[in-house]
């Protein structure tokens, strides 16, 4: 059985809104203010998952990354383009613009559960997808690239909840001014 791994750029105060500035929010682009190092390549250390797993995207993240990565020839971009991709969207009817992409037919939770039976499932960005998977208690691991920025407003990765979520620290790696921290589901959960 595979794992469901969520990878996010996140501010010090837990905000995930508009790290690249593409949404044109007032604080947008905060991750890119720290240089290219923490945001380029396989920054979330997905490694072999790029070759054997599947990534689930919401429409907005899929469109953005498809535009950015599909024409590039660096190793990471080529591997992301070759990787199997599932897109959760109510408005898209054609995902041929980025190779190896398919629309999720039906429920996101059902699709992720089915994929998880045989391989790792990665979710990059795509907060709407993350929210659905959080509600279904399907996330096994969070890979958070935390930047030394306090935004004050925006959407948080972890919404208010009725019960605590207990995770255990798996690794921490400094990446320039940012830190990649991996948290796994604590034993006994899920």
């Amino acid at each position: 059985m595979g794992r469901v791994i969520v990878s996010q750029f996140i501010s010090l105060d837990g905000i995930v809104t508009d790290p690249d500035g593409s949404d044109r929010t007032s604080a947008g682009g905060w991750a890119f203010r720290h240089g290219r190092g923490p945001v380029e390549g396989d920054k979330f250390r997905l490694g072999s998952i790029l070759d054997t797993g599947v990534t689930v995207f919401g429409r907005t993240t899929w469109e953005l990354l498809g535009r950015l990565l599909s024409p590039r020839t660096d190793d990471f971009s080529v591997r992301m383009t070759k990787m199997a991709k599932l897109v959760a969207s109510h408005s898209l009817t054609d995902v041929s613009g980025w190779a190896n992409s398919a629309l999720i037919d039906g429920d996101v939770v059902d699709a992720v559960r089915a994929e998880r039976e045989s391989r790792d499932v990665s979710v990059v960005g795509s907060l709407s997808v993350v929210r659905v998977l959080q509600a279904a208690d399907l996330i096994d691991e969070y890979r958070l690239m935390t930047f030394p920025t306090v935004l004050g407003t925006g959407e948080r990765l972890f919404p208010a909840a009725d019960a605590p979520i207990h995770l255990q620290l798996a690794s921490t790696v400094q990446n320039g001014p940012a830190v990649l921290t991996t948290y796994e589901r604590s034993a006994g959960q899920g």
Side-chain angles (χ1 to χ4, degrees):
M1 177 176 276
R3 300 167 293 160
V4 176
I5 302 164
V6 167
S7 300
Q8 292 281 336
F9 292 136
I10 190 166
S11 69
L12 199 56
D13 57 341
I15 305 295
V16 294
T17 303
D18 203 14
D20 65 345
S22 63
D23 290 338
R24 302 191 192 320
T25 62
S26 61
W30 50 270
F32 289 75
R33 290 189 176 105
H34 298 282
R36 298 178 64 89
V39 298
E40 283 188 326
D42 188 11
K43 62 220 150 257
F44 293 111
R45 297 183 178 218
L46 295 173
S48 65
I49 296 168
L50 294 169
D51 303 317
T52 61
V54 61
T55 296
V56 178
F57 291 103
R59 177 193 54 82
T60 303
T61 305
W62 178 83
E63 288 176 337
L64 175 67
L65 290 180
R67 274 193 315 273
L68 291 173
L69 301 180
S70 62
R72 294 184 182 171
T73 58
D74 61 279
D75 180 62
F76 174 74
S77 297
V78 168
R79 288 173 77 192
M80 279 295 289
T81 296
K82 287 182 179 178
M83 182 180 199
K85 293 172 280 298
L86 295 176
V87 185
S89 175
H90 298 292
S91 60
L92 289 176
T93 57
D94 179 19
V95 292
S96 63
W98 195 11
N100 303 309
S101 296
L103 282 169
I104 292 176
D105 184 25
D107 184 65
V108 172
V109 169
D110 292 340
V112 168
R113 281 188 177 129
E115 290 294 334
R116 184 183 188 199
E117 289 298 317
S118 60
R119 59 183 169 176
D120 287 329
V121 178
S122 170
V123 181
V124 177
S126 306
L127 189 59
S128 61
V129 172
V130 171
R131 291 273 190 259
V132 169
L133 298 179
Q134 285 173 326
D137 195 28
L138 278 177
I139 300 170
D140 299 299
E141 184 175 305
Y142 289 91
R143 295 184 184 185
L144 307 178
M145 184 67 71
T146 305
F147 290 84
T149 299
V150 176
L151 296 170
T153 63
E155 290 194 73
R156 296 185 182 285
L157 176 58
F158 298 100
D162 294 331
I165 299 169
H166 299 286
L167 303 169
Q168 39 189 36
L169 178 64
S171 68
T172 302
V173 178
Q174 185 169 352
N175 188 356
V179 175
L180 174 63
T181 308
T182 301
Y183 298 96
E184 297 173 345
R185 178 186 298 271
S186 292
Q189 285 200 13

